[in-house]
Amino acid sequence: MRTPLLRFSATPLRRRLGGALGTSLLAGALLVGASTAPAIAAPAAVASPGAAASAAELPPDGDSVASPPGANDWNCRPGAAHPDPVVLVHGTFANRYENWLALSPLLKGLGYCVFALDYGTVPGVTSSGSGLLLPIGGLGPVPDSAAQLGRFVDLVLKATGAGKVDIVGHSQGGMLPNYYLKFLGGAAKVGRMVGLAPSNHGTTLDGITKLAPYFPGVADLIYTVCQSCRDQAVGSDFNRVMASRPDTVPGVRYTVVSTVYDEVVTPWRTQFLNGPAVDNEVLQDHCPVTLAEHVAIAFSPTALHLVTNALDPAHATPVFCG
């Protein structure tokens, strides 16, 4: 039996996309949508699957933010119960420490080797939403961040000796691994992909992108900080490239966990993936009373229980409602 999930509050961490800074920046950044986005082309060639990054290129323990509890023990060796290490990918305007304060120690306690990276950071952009002065990431172009994820996965595989990893991501972090899987050779290195409120097909942010013609200057200014915001807008060049191939790739098992109260990736049903190896889960189908929205889903006991079931379906247990 699994250890029951603990009850905890998400309120200290609502600084990310759902917080005042994150929501205002993302809203402004999405105003232009696709109209001013630079063209994004699919990569002409897939990177060599066996190429591992050096520590100098991407330090194993990261180079900007402390690791969340339980993550980035580079001496961890997966056991037979959980042979695939888990790589955690944070969302836009977030970082690995704040995004994974709940899930990382939970997975570690269940016996997983857990790793978390920071990606898409811009020097000088910080946040104090948790009471600490921490850089925020997820701001760079999604293809660049997906390549960074690929280098990190190579480091994890090299350090642990594992054949594959499983990936869990939140928001942009639940979507950008799909670019890695589709275009950068990641499918050979990933067994399971779990997305919490992922921006899989872009977002309208409740229709705000339709106001783009009225505020092009403001959006262009914000895009100098958050290029990934432009990529995540419905109709962007990036999303057209993503749509040029099927939602899923053979050999990977996908799980999407969404909430009907998502106010950032909208409409929320666009988070779902289509494919033969996909489980699209709605939080309220398992816990009708939960009010968890886009940010809180990363700290919802029900959502995290769905994650642990997705990572280990052979030992899945009835989902806790809380």
Side-chain angles (χ1 to χ4, degrees), residues 239-263:
N239 276 307
R240 283 193 286 270
V241 168
M242 290 291 282
S244 69
R245 296 188 182 179
D247 277 1
T248 63
V249 297
V252 179
R253 184 78 204 184
Y254 298 79
T255 300
V256 174
V257 182
S258 302
T259 171
V260 300
Y261 297 112
D262 199 311
E263 78 286 23

Side-chain angles (χ1 to χ4, degrees), residues 84-109:
D84 293 347
V86 179
V87 173
L88 305 179
V89 189
H90 65 72
T92 314
F93 299 114
N95 58 62
R96 64 183 179 184
Y97 181 81
E98 291 188 298
N99 214 146
W100 303 118
L101 276 172
L103 183 58
S104 179
L106 171 63
L107 293 179
K108 185 69 172 181

Side-chain angles (χ1 to χ4, degrees), residues 172-241:
Q172 179 190 168
M175 172 275 293
L176 77 83
N178 289 336
Y179 187 92
Y180 168 59
L181 297 175
K182 288 184 180 184
F183 298 108
L184 302 181
K189 306 175 186 179
V190 177
R192 299 182 183 276
M193 173 66 229
V194 183
L196 294 169
S199 53
N200 281 326
H201 301 101
T203 175
T204 64
L205 201 68
D206 283 334
I208 287 180
T209 54
K210 296 178 183 178
L211 298 175
Y214 301 97
F215 302 100
V218 172
D220 285 342
L221 176 62
I222 293 177
Y223 283 151
T224 63
V225 175
C226 183
Q227 297 182 65
S228 68
C229 296
R230 171 167 25 209
D231 289 345
Q232 292 177 85
V234 168
S236 68
D237 286 333
F238 171 80
N239 276 307
R240 283 193 286 270
V241 168

Side-chain angles (χ1 to χ4, degrees), residues 109-129:
L110 293 173
Y112 289 90
C113 290
V114 183
F115 297 87
L117 80 158
D118 280 312
Y119 69 90
T121 57
V122 175
V125 179
T126 61
S127 167
S128 58

